[in-house]
Amino acid sequence: NVPPALLVRFLREHRSEWADYGVDAYSAACLKASPYAVPCARPGGFPGSQVILPLAHTVEHEEFLEVVRLEGHAFSPEDVALARDMYLLQLCSGVDENAVGACAQLVFAPIDESFADDAPLLPSGFRDGPAATRTLDLASTLEVGAGGARPAGEADLNGYNLRSVLTIAFQFTFESHLRDNVAAMARQYVRSVVGSVQRVAMAISPSRLSSHMGPKPLPGSPEALTLARWICRSYRIHTGGELFRVESQASDAILKQLWLHSDAILCCSVKTNASPVFTFANQAGLDMLETTLVALQDIMLDKILDEAGRKILCSEFSKIMQQGFAYLPAGICLSSMGRPVSYEQAIAWKVLNDDDSNHCLAFMFLNWSFV
């Protein structure tokens, strides 16, 4: 349930969300005479940042060729081999969302600065096409039943480009005596990539009600429309004020206003004997934490607050749970990238579900900015 252009563009710009740095290092090392040991694919891998260096593009920018530099980091003496920068030659096309029915693809291959011009490449990548085509109508078949797919050209144009089928292909070189090890690594890697792409697709899937409302929460959370209603209703119950001026009581309108609100609004879990973990944030909240909805659930509340902020929250926690909300003074927190963020005030309140049971805690950081 994601447009091809949107998904491929995300995969291009956020490689660390789905790739494994150890596998990339193995692929790059295979260009040399003595490759490293076969890696154990790890979800998330090493957080090496990527830099995209443009080489060429077509006149209308519908296809472009670029070099991607993956910056290496060593976290222990055993990881020194992974600390060097690596390079991929990458071709990307079809990322124009207005091109109805077009395929989008991202193809990449490791390269080395010592490559001859005619050196063979070993490309891998993604090809993403609309689900309403006759050839690969897997998503439509799942939704409307076998044989219920519409012929090409008869799709509802409002939903035509909202759903797609993603084809994934990876290639790995190996020495004959390492075949079984590489095959096991490759299977684990592809499973990890598929799982990551599914989480990405759920997070960036636009709502059919409005393409500007922002992503849905991940599985395990209520629908975005329901959560938005709970957040605003609970704020009104506890504080007696409105979170924002509501122009319409429609759920989609409330979600849109919440998503676009200028102050950072974040929700986190409330579990006994467990650190609160973020479960949802509006766009300003994601910007403040410098993260995405996919990665948000790996961030704990106590990791972004400084020592003073943690002490204040601890002292106010019983008040929040008893009266339902508390105002927290100005302070400093940290983004997921370690950058300090100042805010003028924070408000914390309990979010209640339709049964008036505690669902989560919500925080709003007012007038935040990077220090």
Side-chain angles (χ1 to χ4, degrees), residues 58 160 226 259 269 272 347:
T58 53
Y160 182 83
T226 303
W259 180 254
S269 60
T272 308
I347 305 172

Side-chain angles (χ1 to χ4, degrees), residues 14-346:
H14 301 275
R15 186 178 180 88
S16 61
E17 295 279 6
W18 55 267
D20 184 288
Y21 194 84
V23 175
D24 286 335
Y26 170 76
S27 298
C30 286
L31 303 173
K32 304 288 188 180
S34 55
Y36 307 142
V38 177
C40 211
R42 295 171 295 274
F46 296 99
S49 59
Q50 70 173 34
V51 178
I52 296 178
L53 311 169
L55 287 182
H57 58 78
T58 53
V59 175
E60 298 295 330
H61 289 265
E62 68 270 14
E63 185 171 73
F64 35 92
L65 184 67
E66 55 205 6
V67 169
V68 178
R69 185 174 81 234
L70 303 175
E71 298 176 339
H73 300 285
F75 294 103
S76 66
E78 295 78 27
D79 297 330
V80 170
L82 302 178
R84 69 184 184 93
D85 290 353
M86 295 177 295
Y87 296 87
L88 305 174
L89 185 65
Q90 184 163 277
L91 185 72
C92 188
S93 63
V95 292
D96 180 4
E97 291 183 50
N98 297 319
V100 176
C103 283
Q105 64 179 5
L106 180 70
V107 182
F108 53 88
I111 57 172
D112 189 85
E113 62 274 8
S114 60
F115 259 17
D117 290 341
D118 59 349
L121 296 175
L122 198 65
S124 298
F126 306 87
R127 181 178 178 87
D128 201 356
T133 57
R134 201 88 165 114
T135 52
L136 270 178
D137 202 6
L138 304 180
S140 289
T141 301
L142 289 172
E143 183 169 293
V144 301
R150 296 188 183 103
E154 292 182 17
D156 177 3
L157 290 179
N158 290 328
Y160 182 83
N161 232 20
L162 291 179
R163 301 166 64 247
S164 55
V165 172
L166 182 68
T167 304
I168 305 176
F170 292 101
Q171 299 185 73
F172 299 95
T173 53
F174 61 89
E175 295 177 5
S176 57
H177 66 284
L178 290 175
R179 176 182 180 129
D180 291 343
N181 303 68
V182 173
M185 177 273 292
R187 281 193 294 270
Q188 185 180 348
Y189 179 63
V190 171
R191 281 195 294 267
S192 172
V193 170
V194 169
S196 298
V197 171
Q198 286 174 333
R199 287 188 291 115
V200 166
M202 288 178 185
I204 67 175
S205 173
S207 168
R208 289 182 181 275
L209 296 170
S210 169
S211 60
H212 303 292
M213 262 191 255
K216 303 171 185 175
L218 297 180
S221 297
E223 287 293 322
L225 299 174
T226 303
L227 181 60
R229 181 169 54 79
W230 289 352
I231 291 170
C232 297
R233 170 178 167 270
S234 300
Y235 184 89
R236 186 188 315 114
I237 291 172
H238 298 313
T239 69
E242 295 291 345
L243 187 57
F244 42 72
R245 187 174 145 203
V246 181
E247 298 172 2
S248 168
Q249 289 297 326
S251 294
D252 56 329
I254 294 173
L255 175 57
K256 185 173 182 179
Q257 284 188 272
L258 177 72
W259 180 254
L260 299 177
H261 194 64
S262 58
D263 292 320
I265 299 174
L266 305 105
C267 295
C268 64
S269 60
V270 186
K271 293 182 180 178
T272 308
N273 300 325
S275 297
V277 175
F278 288 111
T279 56
F280 178 78
N282 67 349
Q283 184 63 66
L286 296 178
D287 292 342
M288 186 185 82
L289 293 184
E290 295 188 288
T291 189
T292 65
L293 273 178
V294 175
L296 181 68
Q297 299 193 2
D298 295 326
I299 302 175
M300 291 184 288
L301 176 62
D302 58 359
K303 296 298 183 184
I304 73 156
L305 296 175
D306 62 5
E307 186 175 354
R310 288 194 291 270
K311 286 181 178 177
I312 291 171
L313 182 61
C314 284
S315 66
E316 295 290 323
F317 189 77
S318 59
K319 181 179 176 181
I320 297 171
M321 300 310 290
Q322 287 172 14
Q323 77 173 31
F325 79 103
Y327 293 101
L328 309 177
I332 299 287
C333 63
L334 294 177
S335 78
S336 63
M337 301 297 183
R339 285 213 287 172
V341 181
S342 68
Y343 53 92
E344 291 183 6
Q345 188 184 47

